[in-house]
Amino acid sequence: MNPTEEPTGMALAVAHRGDPYHVRENTLPSVRSALRKGADAVEVDVRLTRDGVPVLLHDPTLERLWGLPVPVGSLTAREVEELTGGGVPSFAEALETLREHPGPRMLLDLTEEDQAAPTVAAVREAGLGERVYYCGELPALTTVRELDPAAEIALTWKTSRRPAAGLLDALAPRWLNLRFGLVDRATVAFARERGLLVAAWTADWQRSMGKLLALGADAVTTNRLETFQRVRARKAGRPHQTTPGQAAAAPSGTGTAGSTGTAPDGAAQGAPPVAGTP
């Protein structure tokens, strides 16, 4: 959905960190898997190496995904590449992967202010400003707005307190990007009154997905892309069309929940297994 578009009634499927129940998160194969399966957008996390190169990684260290308890910020880009066998991609490589798939977009999650300038510069150099949008912590988003007045911003919001009018005026977001449990009719109405689209993260249960669709969410970020696509198709009264390579087999370490996409009661949403972790 471009900045000038109005809500279509069909919520966008935003693949959280790629396709993490099948392929290790925040890697090029994971991004490609989500894009091939028809994600409308892929959310990725950006971190900086010691020499200021943006790379795809959620955690501050390489421990969870790569078994290396080393802060990525203490390593050069070359060292990261050598230690992970090229598994941690540069953000520039991720943008080139996006370019290979016309249509879908990339949601860039920035957690620290100093990530903004190198990320915006890489987007500008790639000429893909219309294909990306930004979410994350407020200092980073504020810097993005200062660097790129045309940037599309999803204001990440984690509290039931409404964003102040002054903040909305200064940041000029296109989206109100809410933790999924905060989405209700009053919040959607608040967003609509201010011309904002509503995004929700990170919903992995079918019942949560269905509720968000019923409330009118414009985008849903999920670790379970195929499950959300099926729920969305049912809500729209049409069959879900699978794409080549879209399989129902359970990914490693997820059991039956991974094959059906229905998390058991009490399971945490938004916490995918570390597919392919050594």
Side-chain angles (χ1 to χ4, degrees):
M1 186 175 295
N2 290 324
T4 57
E5 290 182 350
E6 294 303 318
T8 63
M10 178 63 71
L12 303 182
V14 182
H16 190 231
R17 307 178 194 171
D19 193 12
Y21 270 86
H22 295 269
V23 189
R24 191 177 343 210
E25 68 180 58
N26 278 317
T27 61
L28 297 183
S30 195
V31 170
R32 290 192 184 103
S33 180
L35 292 171
R36 288 169 181 161
K37 290 178 179 179
D40 298 299
V42 177
E43 182 267 359
V44 297
D45 302 281
V46 179
R47 293 270 177 186
L48 297 183
T49 61
R50 190 177 76 221
D51 47 346
V53 177
V55 297
L56 264 56
L57 190 70
H58 176 270
D59 299 358
T61 77
L62 298 172
E63 185 168 15
R64 178 173 60 90
L65 290 178
W66 304 96
L68 301 166
V70 184
V72 68
S74 70
L75 303 169
T76 66
R78 180 178 292 275
E79 289 170 337
V80 171
E81 181 179 10
E82 291 172 351
L83 286 171
T84 65
V88 173
S90 70
F91 176 52
E93 290 175 313
L95 289 174
E96 288 308 308
T97 299
L98 181 67
R99 193 194 305 278
E100 295 167 4
H101 297 79
R105 306 181 73 199
M106 188 168 281
L107 175 58
L108 313 178
D109 193 348
L110 307 181
T111 54
E112 299 177 6
E113 186 176 359
D114 63 354
Q115 297 163 357
T119 302
V120 170
V123 170
R124 186 174 290 125
E125 182 175 351
L128 291 174
E130 293 295 320
R131 300 279 308 278
V132 306
Y133 59 125
Y134 300 83
C135 69
E137 299 300 322
L138 186 55
L141 296 180
T142 300
T143 303
V144 168
R145 173 58 71 228
E146 293 170 353
L147 294 169
D148 185 359
E152 183 174 345
I153 289 177
L155 173 58
T156 300
W157 205 250
K158 305 174 186 179
T159 173
S160 58
R161 185 178 66 253
R162 303 284 190 246
L167 171 60
L168 295 177
D169 291 342
L171 191 63
R174 180 56 175 152
W175 298 81
L176 185 58
N177 187 37
L178 296 156
R179 191 186 301 274
F180 76 93
L182 295 175
V183 179
D184 56 23
R185 295 197 184 280
T187 304
V188 172
F190 168 84
R192 295 286 183 258
E193 290 170 1
R194 286 152 183 80
L196 297 171
L197 298 171
V198 175
W201 51 273
T202 302
D204 291 336
W205 297 351
Q206 291 189 36
R207 64 176 177 268
S208 298
M209 296 171 181
K211 179 180 178 181
L212 291 168
L213 293 174
L215 288 168
D218 301 294
V220 175
T221 299
T222 180
N223 293 302
R224 298 175 181 272
L225 173 63
E226 295 153 284
T227 299
F228 177 72
Q229 289 170 325
R230 289 193 292 270
V231 171
R232 183 177 64 177
R234 286 200 300 268
K235 290 286 183 180
R238 58 179 175 77
H240 169 52
Q241 301 296 320
T242 58
T243 56
Q246 205 165 0
S252 174
T254 63
T256 56
S259 60
T260 65
T262 306
D265 288 344
Q269 300 193 66
V274 186
T277 302

